[in-house]
């Protein structure tokens, strides 16, 4: 289910000059903000939770997910090079699964790891806040990667659609509209953070068992539909 050649090509495409600017820029901004907040405010648990929840989890993680998820396959579909890839003796599910693994690895590396470091900078992991938000960023990275990989296979405007979802639904409606919170990857991941953090340090609108089921369900469903779409692209390319 994993092809090293496909993975290497995908990594090379994701870490190209244009995408690397965003992938490195957002974590650098988070760390810079964290240092400034620590210097100006000191070690404060409430402030740390606000920065990690409001910027890292609500904004940085989905944006990096958009870059990694759509970038794993979208450009190949746009320029037609995916037909060359599909002509090779590699199973379609293997291609999708490999690209998903790469997208997850990149998203976790550029979101969960900086979130953990930022948490230690902000309050030294008091009340397990740094670990809690880093774990939330990691599980959210899996779901985001699958969803945005699917978008990359179904539309040529995957980046725009991903940004609308990340910035409008997750950051705006997911934070302000109570009913929308239960359909938010952010809230599902916060359920895990709530369990890891000290009592009252992190809150979520969704219980942990339901959140884990929804995260797994969305990831599996998005990956399956992406594979189905890739099969149709194969037929179109052959015709």
């Amino acid at each position: 289910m994993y092809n090293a050649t496909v993975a290497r090509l995908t990594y090379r495409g994701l870490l190209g000059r244009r995408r690397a600017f965003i992938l490195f820029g957002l974590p650098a901004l988070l760390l810079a903000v964290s240092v400034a907040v620590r210097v100006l405010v000191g070690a404060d648990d409430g402030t740390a939770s606000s920065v990690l929840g409001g910027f890292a989890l609500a904004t940085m993680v989905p944006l990096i997910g958009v870059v990694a998820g759509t970038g794993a396959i979208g450009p190949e579909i746009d320029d037609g090079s995916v037909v060359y890839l599909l002509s090779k003796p590699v199973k379609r599910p293997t291609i999708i699964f490999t690209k998903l693994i790469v997208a997850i690895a990149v998203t976790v590396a550029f979101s969960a790891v900086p979130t953990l470091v930022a948490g230690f900078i902000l309050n030294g992991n008091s009340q397990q806040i740094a670990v809690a938000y880093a774990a939330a960023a990691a599980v959210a990275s899996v779901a985001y990667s699958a969803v945005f990989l699917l978008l990359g296979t179904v539309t040529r405007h995957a980046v725009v659609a991903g940004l609308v979802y990340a910035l409008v639904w997750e950051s705006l409606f997911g934070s302000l509209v109570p009913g929308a919170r239960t359909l938010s990857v952010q809230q599902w991941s916060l359920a895990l953070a709530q369990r890891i953090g000290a009592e009252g340090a992190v809150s979520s609108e969704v219980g942990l068992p339901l959140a884990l089921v929804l995260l797994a369900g969305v990831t599996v469903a998005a990956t399956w539909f992406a594979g189905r779409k890739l099969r149709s692209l194969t037929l179109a390319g052959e015709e």
Side-chain angles (χ1 to χ4, degrees):
M1 292 298 293
Y2 182 86
N3 185 279
T5 301
V6 173
R8 184 175 64 254
L9 294 173
T10 305
Y11 275 118
R12 184 181 301 173
L14 284 178
L15 299 178
R17 184 176 301 175
R18 291 181 299 176
R19 293 184 181 85
F21 177 79
I22 299 175
L23 291 175
F24 284 98
L26 287 173
L29 178 60
L30 172 64
L31 296 178
V33 168
S34 300
V35 171
V37 169
R38 179 61 184 266
V39 171
L40 296 174
V41 179
D44 180 77
D45 295 343
T47 302
S49 186
S50 297
V51 172
L52 297 180
F55 177 64
L57 191 61
T59 303
M60 185 185 74
V61 178
L63 286 179
I64 291 178
V66 169
V67 174
T70 62
I73 196 169
E76 293 174 323
I77 294 177
D78 291 341
D79 62 20
S81 61
V82 69
V83 176
Y84 173 79
L85 176 62
L86 296 176
S87 67
K88 299 301 179 182
V90 181
K91 294 181 179 179
R92 307 305 176 254
T94 298
I95 295 174
I96 288 295
F97 185 76
T98 300
K99 288 182 174 294
L100 175 62
I101 293 300
V102 171
I104 290 172
V106 170
T107 307
V108 170
F110 286 94
S111 60
V113 175
T115 298
L116 180 64
V117 175
F120 274 95
I121 292 173
L122 287 164
N123 73 340
N125 196 36
S126 174
Q127 299 192 71
Q128 292 291 305
I129 288 177
V131 173
Y133 277 102
V139 297
S141 296
V142 177
Y144 283 134
S145 297
V147 169
F148 296 133
L149 180 66
L150 171 62
L151 286 179
T153 64
V154 299
T155 175
R156 291 182 177 273
H157 306 289
V159 174
V160 175
L163 289 175
V164 170
Y165 174 82
L167 298 178
V168 177
W169 183 264
E170 290 283 356
S171 298
L172 183 59
F173 286 98
S175 300
L176 301 178
V177 181
R181 293 173 184 172
T182 57
L183 299 176
S184 166
V185 173
Q186 176 188 343
Q187 290 297 322
W188 302 343
S189 62
L190 279 173
L192 178 61
Q194 184 179 23
R195 178 63 62 87
I196 295 174
E199 185 176 356
V202 184
S203 62
S204 173
E205 299 291 327
V206 184
L208 182 58
L210 176 60
L212 293 178
V213 170
L214 291 171
L215 283 167
V218 165
T219 301
V220 172
T223 305
W224 182 80
F225 276 113
R228 294 278 296 181
K229 179 61 178 176
L230 199 61
R231 290 191 183 94
S232 70
L233 287 174
T234 303
L235 295 175
E238 292 172 349
E239 292 174 357

